[in-house]
Amino acid sequence: MAAFIKTNGEITNVTPKNGTDYKYEELKEFVGGYIEIVPINDHKIMVVNEEGKLNNLPVNHIASLLYKYDTICGNVLVCDDSEVL
């Protein structure tokens, strides 16, 4: 199960539409644009909006704390790396 983290701090548990893995178009819907995959540990990844900063999306404070290396802007999806093919 993945966590959808919105910029307002709301966190929702979500599952892929097909029950096993997230497809590209589904990931784009979560982040509202082109996706970028950011590793956060050995088996977890964060799917972010590639142009979040360029488009002046709001800072996602929770996602930024999880990533630790940079400020993350926009909504994100945190999931196991095996859920994104």
Side-chain angles (χ1 to χ4, degrees):
M1 185 171 298
F4 179 50
I5 306 172
K6 294 183 178 182
T7 57
N8 66 4
E10 181 182 333
I11 302 173
T12 306
N13 291 326
V14 294
T15 56
K17 289 179 183 176
N18 66 13
T20 59
D21 55 87
Y22 292 97
K23 303 301 180 195
Y24 179 72
E25 291 301 321
E26 188 175 4
L27 294 171
K28 282 179 61 176
E29 289 176 22
F30 278 112
V31 302
Y34 295 111
I35 68 165
E36 180 177 350
I37 305 294
V38 178
I40 53 176
N41 68 32
D42 288 343
H43 300 289
K44 290 282 187 189
I45 59 171
M46 185 181 306
V47 181
V48 304
N49 185 316
E50 183 179 84
E51 299 175 329
K53 287 182 185 176
L54 292 173
N55 292 332
N56 293 317
L57 296 179
V59 172
N60 190 320
H61 296 286
I62 295 172
S64 296
L65 287 172
L66 286 173
Y67 185 53
K68 301 177 187 171
Y69 300 107
D70 198 3
T71 301
I72 303 295
C73 296
N75 298 330
V76 304
L77 182 74
V78 176
C79 62
D80 291 334
D81 56 3
S82 62
E83 291 180 291
V84 175
L85 300 177

